[in-house]
Amino acid sequence: MNIELAEYDAGWPGLYERERARVLGALPGAVLEHVGSTSVPGLCAKPLVDLMLVVDAPLREASYVPALEAAGYRVVVREDDWHEHRILKGPDTDINLHVFPRGCAQVRRHLLFRDWLRDNAWDRELYAAAKRELAARVWDRVQDYTDAKNAVVLDILERAYVARPVEPGEVEFVTEAPPHNAPVVLQEHDPVWARWYAVEEAKIRAALGERVVRLEHVGSTSVPGLAAKPLIDILLVVPDSADEGAYVPALVAAGYYLLLRERAWHEHRVLKGVAPNVNLHVFSPGCEELDRMLAFRDRLRAFPQDREEYERTKRELAGRTWERVQDYADAKTRVVERIILRALG
């Protein structure tokens, strides 16, 4: 199979606007973006317009597919296990309408890649050169060509994520310890950590009951074989993390205390447990950080080479002295982002 690339066509944005009007006619108020190579002026591309539609739950097709079908679209791809991703084809123009859930990390990934290429000529030319070289080969499937581009895409995205990080915003400490020199002591993975998590999980579920939307063991202690500080990180999803009255008093009664709030960063809350040492991270549903944390954990569990890369970084950084433990965590950002990007594919 040959891949046919076309020089950038100034008519592509017009094709997107026509599809946008059609989609919004079927789904008023929908979140829709032009993504992919045809969305980047000056970039060569297959003459296929990629659109990204964000809905609450792609698996609930009844909430959006019938309306799109009435407008002439049809579902051609369903990937339930990969971000609930759907692809629809349009009635006339050659397009891919990609559907992702609200809060999916793929949404920011697509937009960041697009915007970075629009603003950075060097990486735009690097990507174009890779596309041209790969398009000159013969492929069994278009997906094989897409997969072959992954190395240069990850290279570009890593630069974009580091240059344009999500700023967490102001941290409001409820219980604050003064900054101090904080040696970071890593331990070899201990199977007892999974048992500690199981005890905490039972405690949290007993305290909150049906208010628990999701509960997961995350962080390094959740990855067998990975050295870590003996700190159990727990991800708790509640209906509304900003509504502290709905969950904080019950968790305090269960032995936790509220450490901090990050109102501007996903309304994130952290509660602490002291025996064992626990960080309980609280978010609302549909938050990108949930997707990222779980993708990172699952990638480290499944790919030994990524686990080893992360552990090497942790050990090197743990050998230094830090003013705050958070500074150690921040120093790991680049390798964490790199692994998350691989996980998101």
Side-chain angles (χ1 to χ4, degrees), residues 33-48:
E33 295 279 355
H34 188 188
V35 294
S37 293
T38 61
S39 70
V40 180
L43 181 62
C44 59
K46 302 189 302 294
L48 180 150

Side-chain angles (χ1 to χ4, degrees), residues 12 27 44 78 105 128 155 181 193 218 273 289 298 309 335:
W12 287 338
L27 300 170
C44 59
R78 291 182 174 91
D155 185 41
N181 287 338
W193 294 338
V218 294
E289 196 59 23
D298 294 346
E309 178 185 4
V335 70

Side-chain angles (χ1 to χ4, degrees), residues 48-59:
L48 180 150
V49 177
D50 286 293
L51 297 85
M52 181 171 65
L53 173 66
V54 181
V55 302
D56 287 332
L59 289 176

Side-chain angles (χ1 to χ4, degrees), residues 14-263:
L15 294 178
Y16 163 72
E17 290 298 336
R18 186 175 73 179
E19 295 301 316
R20 176 180 174 82
R22 186 179 281 161
V23 172
L24 292 181
L27 300 170
V31 177
L32 193 69
E33 295 279 355
H34 188 188
V35 294
S37 293
T38 61
S39 70
V40 180
L43 181 62
C44 59
K46 302 189 302 294
L48 180 150
V49 177
D50 286 293
L51 297 85
M52 181 171 65
L53 173 66
V54 181
V55 302
D56 287 332
L59 289 176
R60 295 202 296 268
E61 293 188 4
S63 66
Y64 65 97
V65 169
L68 290 172
E69 287 177 335
Y73 295 90
R74 69 189 190 282
V75 178
V76 295
V77 172
R78 291 182 174 91
E79 295 182 283
D80 292 359
D81 296 332
W82 190 72
H83 308 283
E84 303 179 9
H85 179 229
R86 301 293 191 264
I87 298 177
L88 291 87
K89 284 291 191 181
D92 41 51
T93 308
D94 192 5
I95 66 128
N96 279 338
L97 176 58
H98 300 270
V99 185
F100 288 107
R102 203 175 312 279
C104 173
Q106 284 290 339
V107 173
R108 180 167 180 255
R109 181 187 191 277
H110 280 287
L111 295 178
L112 185 61
F113 190 62
R114 177 198 69 187
D115 294 346
W116 183 261
L117 291 181
R118 285 175 173 177
D119 295 343
N120 291 270
W122 191 89
D123 272 336
R124 186 168 62 246
E125 292 306 312
L126 175 68
Y127 187 45
K131 284 157 62 83
R132 292 184 193 282
E133 189 275 323
L134 293 170
R137 307 180 192 177
V138 177
W139 302 91
D140 291 334
R141 304 175 305 155
V142 173
Q143 186 60 46
D144 296 332
Y145 161 77
T146 302
D147 292 343
K149 293 188 299 180
N150 201 41
V152 69
V153 168
L154 292 180
D155 185 41
I156 294 169
L157 273 170
E158 183 180 332
R159 285 191 286 277
Y161 269 87
V162 171
R164 298 179 179 175
V166 174
E167 296 297 337
E170 183 179 354
V171 178
E172 176 189 346
F173 282 93
V174 179
T175 306
E176 183 171 13
H180 58 283
N181 287 338
V184 176
V185 179
L186 300 180
Q187 296 182 10
E188 297 300 324
H189 183 84
D190 191 333
V192 76
W193 294 338
R195 297 196 291 274
W196 287 357
Y197 166 74
V199 171
E200 299 302 310
E201 177 182 9
K203 186 190 306 182
I204 294 164
R205 291 191 183 278
L208 297 182
E210 294 182 355
R211 286 167 287 181
V212 174
V213 176
R214 187 166 189 173
L215 199 57
E216 298 276 355
H217 188 187
V218 294
S220 293
T221 59
S222 70
V223 180
L226 180 62
K229 304 188 302 294
L231 166 67
I232 307 301
D233 282 293
I234 299 175
L235 172 63
L236 169 63
V237 183
V238 296
D240 181 3
S241 59
D243 183 9
E244 293 180 9
Y247 64 93
V248 169
L251 290 172
V252 169
Y256 300 95
Y257 65 90
L258 181 60
L259 176 66
L260 62 85
R261 303 181 182 97
E262 293 182 279
R263 297 184 189 276

